[in-house]
Amino acid sequence: MILLDGKETAATIRAEIREEVDKLKAKYGRKPGLAVVLVGEDPASQVYVRNKERACEDCSIRSIPHRLETASQLELEGLIHELNRDVSVDGILVQLPLPKGLDSQKILDLIDPDKDVDGFHPVNVGKMSLGLPGFKPCTPAGVINLLKRYGLDPACKKAVVIGRSNIVGKPLAMMLAQSGPCANATVTLCHSRTPDLKAECLEADYIFAAIGKPKFVTADMVKEGAVVVDVGINRTDEGLAGDCDFEGLKDKVHAITPVPGGVGPMTIAQLMVNTLQAFKMHVGAE
């Protein structure tokens, strides 16, 4: 069984980015800048933002924090317009969920698509669906990067994606089905209305679980030698758990991600990749 170590892989990616950023800074006179906007006091969001800021420091990327205890819709929209105009800001990330009363989609739509390092703007979603260059959502892109790093290519294989969220399931299904490296899979996108999910999973060479239910995917749902990528992270009485029953699956599968330490670190690493991409685009680097 191959343990797909996202923590170790992400550390390698951050080191590669740091080396490239140092060279680019010497040439262009500044580092990439990532503005991170956090509204409210949600504890989980604060943890995620701290992790992203630490990753910026590790990658030699300038973190530009905007922590707001409260903000009206107009105030938040004004901040986004300001960050769009700031030439020292290459990427803008608005930590979700926003507090009740704020229109998240409207805020995301206001971000300059060339600074949308989360890959949520409709322009970048459209580019992704057409296979055009643009920013891809960090979690699915991180999953693809992890597979590449381990030499696991889903081309000509059957893949099942469990979960149809706009952040993970839908974009991951599109990316797996497109032509190109680490793609060309035959993809089935499953969800709560799928009639026989177990039957779909048993036919899959690759299973990607992003449904938000702890230990939902069990050994009787997975065929021998499958590759399982667990995107879920759930807080239970026993601690953190993924969407897959890791202990039940580990002796049956060819490869599997742990939780924690699998997809999570790759998501943040991909955010750094996207920020570097935005910087290079803005300064005209090759």
Side-chain angles (χ1 to χ4, degrees):
M1 186 269 290
I2 300 170
L3 185 69
L4 303 176
D5 191 334
K7 186 176 180 180
E8 181 179 317
T9 306
T12 299
I13 293 170
R14 291 197 306 271
E16 293 169 355
I17 292 172
R18 183 169 62 250
E19 183 178 351
E20 186 171 1
V21 166
D22 289 342
K23 292 176 182 177
L24 290 168
K25 182 188 175 186
K27 184 174 182 179
Y28 294 102
R30 71 174 181 91
K31 297 178 179 181
L34 174 63
V36 181
V37 179
L38 173 64
V39 184
E41 303 293 333
D42 181 72
S45 292
Q46 290 179 346
V47 170
Y48 295 144
V49 165
R50 282 197 297 271
N51 289 340
K52 290 165 184 175
E53 289 174 343
R54 279 197 291 265
C56 283
E57 183 179 357
D58 197 22
C59 292
S60 198
I61 289 173
R62 187 168 72 99
S63 176
I64 308 164
H66 290 270
R67 284 182 165 83
L68 311 174
E69 290 185 12
T70 60
S72 68
Q73 183 77 20
L74 285 177
E75 288 170 337
L76 190 52
E77 290 176 10
L79 174 59
I80 298 303
H81 286 305
E82 179 184 325
L83 295 174
N84 283 338
R85 292 190 297 267
D86 190 337
V87 294
S88 71
V89 173
D90 297 292
I92 301 170
L93 181 149
V94 176
Q95 184 64 47
L96 301 178
L98 290 174
K100 188 177 179 181
L102 296 176
D103 187 337
S104 299
Q105 191 58 55
K106 188 173 182 182
I107 295 299
L108 296 177
D109 289 352
L110 286 176
I111 295 173
D112 182 343
D114 288 344
K115 296 188 177 188
D116 168 42
V117 288
D118 253 342
F120 293 160
H121 194 283
V123 167
N124 284 317
V125 174
K127 286 181 176 180
M128 177 184 59
S129 69
L130 295 171
L132 299 175
F135 296 114
K136 296 178 175 62
C138 296
T139 297
V143 166
I144 298 296
N145 202 349
L146 184 62
L147 293 178
K148 286 179 183 177
R149 297 275 174 155
Y150 276 87
L152 295 170
D153 191 346
C156 306
K157 304 291 187 181
K158 291 185 178 181
V160 162
V161 178
I162 309 173
R164 55 180 169 180
S165 73
N166 292 330
I167 295 174
V168 181
K170 288 180 185 176
L172 180 56
M174 280 195 286
M175 292 167 68
L176 289 165
Q178 288 175 352
S179 61
C182 210
N184 292 298
T186 299
V187 183
T188 301
L189 180 59
C190 295
H191 45 76
S192 59
R193 299 295 181 90
T194 300
D196 193 344
L197 180 59
K198 180 178 178 180
E200 298 287 353
C201 290
L202 284 170
E203 292 185 358
D205 304 299
Y206 285 71
I207 293 177
F208 302 87
I211 197 170
K213 295 183 178 180
K215 300 183 182 180
F216 179 83
V217 178
T218 51
D220 64 324
M221 298 171 65
V222 178
K223 74 178 184 180
E224 196 83 29
V227 173
V228 176
V229 176
D230 191 344
V231 183
I233 184 161
N234 308 281
R235 286 174 172 81
T236 71
D237 292 340
E238 300 170 354
L240 295 178
D243 288 354
C244 302
D245 179 12
F246 181 88
E247 291 300 321
L249 290 170
K250 65 180 183 180
D251 295 326
K252 189 175 185 180
V253 299
H254 174 61
I256 189 170
T257 56
V259 175
V263 173
M266 292 300 298
T267 297
I268 297 178
Q270 188 63 40
L271 175 64
M272 301 298 106
V273 170
N274 286 358
T275 302
L276 176 58
Q277 177 187 338
F279 170 77
K280 291 165 72 173
M281 180 171 59
H282 293 150
V283 299
E286 293 293 331

